[in-house]
PDB file of all heavy atoms in Angstrom:
ATOM      1  N   LYS A  96      -7.702  -0.535 -11.656  1.00 98.00           N
ATOM      2  CA  LYS A  96      -7.670  -0.147 -13.061  1.00 98.00           C
ATOM      3  C   LYS A  96      -6.251   0.298 -13.411  1.00 98.00           C
ATOM      4  O   LYS A  96      -5.536   0.710 -12.515  1.00 98.00           O
ATOM      5  CB  LYS A  96      -8.695   0.923 -13.404  1.00 98.00           C
ATOM      6  CG  LYS A  96      -8.877   2.046 -12.386  1.00 98.00           C
ATOM      7  CD  LYS A  96      -7.703   2.861 -11.962  1.00 98.00           C
ATOM      8  CE  LYS A  96      -6.942   3.595 -13.042  1.00 98.00           C
ATOM      9  NZ  LYS A  96      -5.805   4.393 -12.484  1.00 98.00           N
ATOM     10  N   HIS A 151     -11.482  15.992 -16.209  1.00 98.00           N
ATOM     11  CA  HIS A 151     -10.656  15.146 -15.334  1.00 98.00           C
ATOM     12  C   HIS A 151      -9.331  15.876 -15.147  1.00 98.00           C
ATOM     13  O   HIS A 151      -8.476  15.837 -16.036  1.00 98.00           O
ATOM     14  CB  HIS A 151     -10.474  13.766 -15.953  1.00 98.00           C
ATOM     15  CG  HIS A 151      -9.741  12.778 -15.086  1.00 98.00           C
ATOM     16  ND1 HIS A 151      -9.972  11.422 -15.147  1.00 98.00           N
ATOM     17  CD2 HIS A 151      -8.802  12.925 -14.142  1.00 98.00           C
ATOM     18  CE1 HIS A 151      -9.206  10.799 -14.283  1.00 98.00           C
ATOM     19  NE2 HIS A 151      -8.449  11.681 -13.661  1.00 98.00           N
ATOM     20  N   ASN A 153      -5.968  16.747 -12.608  1.00 98.00           N
ATOM     21  CA  ASN A 153      -5.092  16.493 -11.452  1.00 98.00           C
ATOM     22  C   ASN A 153      -4.274  17.731 -11.200  1.00 98.00           C
ATOM     23  O   ASN A 153      -3.902  18.425 -12.108  1.00 98.00           O
ATOM     24  CB  ASN A 153      -4.124  15.331 -11.752  1.00 98.00           C
ATOM     25  CG  ASN A 153      -4.787  13.935 -11.804  1.00 98.00           C
ATOM     26  OD1 ASN A 153      -4.090  12.937 -11.894  1.00 98.00           O
ATOM     27  ND2 ASN A 153      -6.113  13.882 -11.790  1.00 98.00           N
ATOM     28  N   GLN A 156       1.343  15.723 -11.651  1.00 98.00           N
ATOM     29  CA  GLN A 156       1.663  14.309 -11.940  1.00 98.00           C
ATOM     30  C   GLN A 156       3.171  14.208 -12.059  1.00 98.00           C
ATOM     31  O   GLN A 156       3.847  15.168 -12.392  1.00 98.00           O
ATOM     32  CB  GLN A 156       1.015  13.849 -13.241  1.00 98.00           C
ATOM     33  CG  GLN A 156      -0.359  13.278 -13.096  1.00 98.00           C
ATOM     34  CD  GLN A 156      -0.399  11.920 -12.387  1.00 98.00           C
ATOM     35  OE1 GLN A 156       0.626  11.403 -11.969  1.00 98.00           O
ATOM     36  NE2 GLN A 156      -1.601  11.371 -12.192  1.00 98.00           N
ATOM     37  N   SER A 169      -5.773   7.410 -16.686  1.00 98.00           N
ATOM     38  CA  SER A 169      -6.726   8.439 -16.252  1.00 98.00           C
ATOM     39  C   SER A 169      -7.984   8.407 -17.148  1.00 98.00           C
ATOM     40  O   SER A 169      -9.108   8.345 -16.643  1.00 98.00           O
ATOM     41  CB  SER A 169      -6.099   9.823 -16.301  1.00 98.00           C
ATOM     42  OG  SER A 169      -5.012   9.881 -15.383  1.00 98.00           O
ATOM     43  N   HIS A 172     -11.038   5.939 -16.579  1.00 98.00           N
ATOM     44  CA  HIS A 172     -12.189   6.215 -15.720  1.00 98.00           C
ATOM     45  C   HIS A 172     -13.357   6.819 -16.513  1.00 98.00           C
ATOM     46  O   HIS A 172     -14.512   6.507 -16.259  1.00 98.00           O
ATOM     47  CB  HIS A 172     -11.788   7.229 -14.613  1.00 98.00           C
ATOM     48  CG  HIS A 172     -10.951   6.653 -13.530  1.00 98.00           C
ATOM     49  ND1 HIS A 172     -11.383   5.681 -12.665  1.00 98.00           N
ATOM     50  CD2 HIS A 172      -9.663   6.950 -13.157  1.00 98.00           C
ATOM     51  CE1 HIS A 172     -10.418   5.391 -11.793  1.00 98.00           C
ATOM     52  NE2 HIS A 172      -9.377   6.126 -12.061  1.00 98.00           N
TER      53      HIS A 172
HETATM   54  C1  ISE B 428      -4.831   7.583 -10.985  1.00 50.36           C
HETATM   55  O1  ISE B 428      -4.306   6.388 -11.449  1.00 50.36           O
HETATM   56  C2  ISE B 428      -6.300   7.543 -10.845  1.00 50.36           C
HETATM   57  O2  ISE B 428      -6.887   6.535 -10.979  1.00 50.36           O
HETATM   58  C3  ISE B 428      -6.946   8.811 -10.565  1.00 50.36           C
HETATM   59  O3  ISE B 428      -8.324   8.695 -10.438  1.00 50.36           O
HETATM   60  C4  ISE B 428      -6.615   9.738 -11.680  1.00 50.36           C
HETATM   61  O4  ISE B 428      -7.223  10.992 -11.510  1.00 50.36           O
HETATM   62  C5  ISE B 428      -5.151   9.923 -11.782  1.00 50.36           C
HETATM   63  O5  ISE B 428      -4.882  10.739 -12.892  1.00 50.36           O
HETATM   64  C6  ISE B 428      -4.411   8.627 -11.964  1.00 50.36           C
HETATM   65  O6  ISE B 428      -3.058   8.874 -11.795  1.00 50.36           O
END
Side-chain angles (χ1 to χ4, degrees):
K96 41 56 58 179
H151 185 150
N153 288 188
Q156 270 291 0
S169 298
H172 286 295

